[in-house]
Every structure is written in C-alpha cells, then in structure tokens.
Amino acid sequence: MTANVEFEAVDTNSEIGLLSVPRHVAIIMDGNGRWALRRGLPRTEGHRRGVKTLREAVEHAQKRGVSYLTLFSFSSENWARPQQEVSFLLALLRRFVCDDIKDLIRNNVKVRVIGSRENLDKSMLTLLDDAERETAHCTGLVLVIAFNYGARDEFVRAARQLAERVEAGELRAAEIGEDDVSTCLDTRDIPDPDLIVRTGGEQRLSNFLLWQAAYAEFYFAPTPWPEFGPDAFDDALLAFSNRERRYGGVSSDAAGT
Ligand code: FPP
C-alpha cells in the first residue's frame, strides 16, 4: 500500500467509529454451499461467488489497515468432498492466482501459502511457489492462503521437525519451549491472529489455526460467505474494536481493586 492509502484508512476508520484495527484477521469462509442450494444452484456456484467476496475482503482489509489476512481456502479434510467439488475448488484457486497476481502486485499484496505441500500435484506446487516468489517484494497487506491446511497436521509436522532436531543433538527435549514450537509451524513468520471470523452461522474452529488462536477474539456471523461484503466485514471489525483483551490478566478497571 502507498502511504496515501494508509492515511486514508485511518481517516475512514474513525468515521465508522473503529477505535482499533486487528493486525491479523483470519477468516473461515463458510456457507457457500448452503447459499447456493437455497437459490436452487449447484454448491460450486457458491464457491464461485465466494471468490468475488474474497476479492472484496482483500480490498477492504487494505482499506481498514489490516496487515495480515488469512483465508481458509481448502482444508486437509476437504479432499473427502465429492471429486467434482474438489476439482472445482482447485480450479478456482488456480484461476484466482493466475488472474489476480498482477492486481495483487499492483496493490502491494504479499502472498503466503500455509498448509501441507506433501502429495500436492507438481503444477499446483509450482503455482503456489510462484505466487509467493512473485509477490515476495511487496510490503503491504500479507494475504495468507490456507490451502491443504489442517492445524493438527501442521502440529504433527512441527513435532516431527522438533524430534529430528533432538535426534540430531541440536536441541534437548527438556529445553523445548513455546518459541521452538512456533518456529516449526507454517505460520512461523506471521503474527497470531487477533480476530478469527467464521461466516455461515456455525460456531466452531474446524481444525483452523488451533495453536495460533490462543488469544484471538472470535466473531461468528450468520451471513454466508458469498454475502459477507464490506459492511459485514466492518461489523466484525467494530465488534473487535469493542472487545477488551486481557491475555490471562485482569481488566485495567479491576487492577486496582
Ligand atoms: C466452505 O463452504 C468453503 C470452502 C470449503 C471453500 C472456500 C473457497 C473459496 C471461497 C474460493 C476458493 C479460494 C481461493 C483462495 C480462490 P461450504 O462449502 O462448507 O459451505 P456449506 O457449509 O454451506 O456447505
């Protein structure tokens, strides 16, 4: 983002009463299938429409001054969906990267992909690596795409890395601390989410960022993802801005009592 846009973000934020902006917003984009079925459309149409919302969300996060936006695009469990829906979701991701990469670069958006790279098709691996490499110089919003991602799988891969370091004599098991675990996760260079949003009315984490969510604020919206436009995004940001985060401590009002 240019300095101008950052200034504009601060300005419009105060207009809507936003007192603080989460540095990192992570979103579970749920409700695509139900949105489509309610309209007599195939579930895949909900995902197609979801990409439009995704573009709006990237733009809106930049406007509000969010630094990291993580989107749960495909979970390690989503392979169990009907083959046709899986292929459609993979094709949408490919098309998004191919069609939008120039715009992302123009808007100074850096792409990061988290999730397991094991057993991925070679062309998909190349696509994801290229998206990260081509946007590596960007210094604005970091768009984190969680693809083939599951928090337990991420944790298992981290445990293996730590065990290998112990076996190699680089680390003593008794000395393993939170930082050692964090640096083995896919999100090693990404701050923990401040706000986790789930659209579509369900209220669960579904194996998303379990370690990183330790002190996140949660916001569950009934709105299905295809309808989660800028105003709905603002509602989530406003709810966050009114929360008091205590990180296990006490509120400043209670501190003196
Ligand atoms: C959950 O809705 C949504 C998904 C599993 C996929 C989300 C993907 C996109 C919005 C587009 C592709 C991503 C990129 C990065 C281009 P659901 O199908 O579980 O909805 P339901 O709960 O109503 O069935």
Side-chain angles (χ1 to χ4, degrees):
M1 285 273 81
T2 62
N4 264 351
V5 177
E6 274 165 23
F7 176 74
E8 204 179 286
V10 173
D11 217 30
T12 58
N13 287 356
S14 58
E15 271 169 30
I16 66 154
L18 208 52
L19 303 173
S20 64
V21 176
R23 177 148 80 128
H24 182 175
V25 179
I27 307 184
I28 302 174
M29 309 178 284
D30 196 21
N32 293 347
R34 281 166 288 156
W35 178 87
L37 293 178
R38 274 204 294 273
R39 283 163 180 73
L41 300 168
R43 290 174 51 79
T44 47
E45 201 44 44
H47 299 314
R48 193 200 308 278
R49 179 57 199 261
V51 178
K52 184 172 174 281
T53 312
L54 185 156
R55 290 193 179 105
E56 286 173 357
V58 171
E59 195 178 313
H60 199 64
Q62 288 174 287
K63 177 175 170 189
R64 291 286 173 237
V66 170
S67 302
Y68 295 82
L69 177 68
T70 297
L71 300 173
F72 203 2
S73 79
F74 192 88
S75 81
S76 42
E77 289 76 34
N78 284 156
W79 297 105
R81 292 189 174 211
Q83 183 52 46
Q84 190 247 354
E85 185 172 340
V86 169
S87 304
F88 191 89
L89 282 168
L90 300 186
L92 273 187
L93 176 63
R94 282 179 203 277
R95 202 169 323 135
F96 171 73
V97 173
C98 294
D99 292 354
D100 287 45
I101 198 78
K102 284 204 177 74
D103 278 345
L104 293 171
I105 294 169
R106 196 174 317 116
N107 289 316
N108 202 16
V109 175
K110 185 202 285 264
V111 175
R112 280 274 284 107
V113 182
I114 59 169
S116 173
R117 303 282 175 111
E118 282 165 30
N119 302 321
L120 285 188
D121 182 280
K122 192 159 182 320
S123 65
M124 181 60 89
L125 280 175
T126 309
L127 183 87
L128 300 178
D129 287 346
D130 286 354
E132 289 189 321
R133 206 189 50 254
E134 287 171 31
T135 59
H137 64 285
C138 296
T139 55
L141 177 77
V142 179
L143 172 63
V144 184
I145 299 176
F147 173 72
N148 194 24
Y149 177 85
R152 288 185 173 186
D153 170 72
E154 177 188 38
F155 205 81
V156 167
R157 287 184 284 112
R160 285 194 192 123
Q161 280 182 50
L162 287 171
E164 279 164 17
R165 287 179 57 199
V166 171
E167 270 175 12
E170 293 168 19
L171 188 66
R172 281 160 44 95
E175 285 167 4
I176 294 175
E178 290 188 10
D179 284 351
D180 296 303
V181 177
S182 289
T183 53
C184 290
L185 298 174
D186 297 344
T187 50
R188 60 187 67 82
D189 51 347
I190 298 167
D192 286 346
D194 303 289
L195 172 65
I196 296 184
V197 175
R198 181 175 186 138
T199 64
E202 311 281 1
Q203 302 196 358
R204 54 177 171 263
L205 265 185
S206 299
N207 205 11
F208 186 49
L209 302 177
L210 299 183
W211 171 277
Q212 299 86 342
Y215 288 103
E217 296 293 327
F218 291 91
Y219 182 84
F220 298 104
T223 320
W225 177 250
E227 289 175 6
F228 193 81
D231 289 347
F233 199 155
D234 275 343
D235 288 344
L237 295 175
L238 280 164
F240 172 86
S241 141
N242 289 320
R243 303 264 178 96
E244 187 196 16
R245 303 181 79 193
R246 293 195 293 277
Y247 301 97
V250 292
S251 83
S252 46
D253 289 351
T257 59

